[in-house]
Amino acid sequence: RAWRAAAGDAVMERLAARHAEVRAREQRQLVLATTHWERRRARSVWLAWRLRMQHAQIERAAEEVRQRTRQFLERCEELEAEAAVSALGDGASEGGGASSAAA
């Protein structure tokens, strides 16, 4: 009976040790899984932020091109208007000069 009790105790000790090892391994796996998830989430947030910054930069560049184009066209219109006024002014003085020379 003593031998059977000692053998039973040894088996129980081995089972308890194995259970402790299994629990420790599960705990390590849980820590690794949590770390992996956190890193994936951080990477996802980083990539989304980078994409948003690229989009904002493209939008700013497009707005700047629109603004410069608008300024260029406005300046062209101003120059055309000045040229038209100048042409009218030159035509009126030439016409007036020709009629006074004829008289």
Side-chain angles (χ1 to χ4, degrees):
R1 287 192 179 237
W3 178 83
R4 187 177 289 183
D9 288 343
V11 168
M12 291 303 288
E13 286 178 17
R14 284 195 304 269
L15 287 175
R18 181 173 168 105
H19 179 70
E21 289 172 6
V22 168
R23 293 282 299 185
R25 192 169 110 236
E26 288 174 351
Q27 189 66 27
R28 284 192 305 271
Q29 293 290 349
L30 180 64
V31 168
L32 289 173
T34 302
T35 303
H36 176 72
W37 180 81
E38 288 173 351
R39 286 182 181 172
R40 282 184 60 113
R41 184 169 180 265
R43 185 172 186 268
S44 174
V45 168
W46 166 252
L47 291 175
W49 179 82
R50 231 177 74 192
L51 183 63
R52 177 67 183 122
M53 290 296 105
Q54 283 179 331
H55 180 70
Q57 183 180 9
I58 290 169
E59 284 296 317
R60 284 193 303 270
E63 179 58 33
E64 186 174 341
V65 167
R66 282 192 293 270
Q67 183 180 3
R68 287 184 182 206
T69 302
R70 190 170 33 251
Q71 290 171 348
F72 175 76
L73 293 175
E74 288 172 358
R75 183 64 181 145
C76 285
E77 289 174 1
E78 290 172 7
L79 291 175
E80 288 175 356
E82 289 176 10
V85 168
S86 176
L88 287 177
D90 290 345
S93 64
E94 287 177 8
S99 65
S100 56

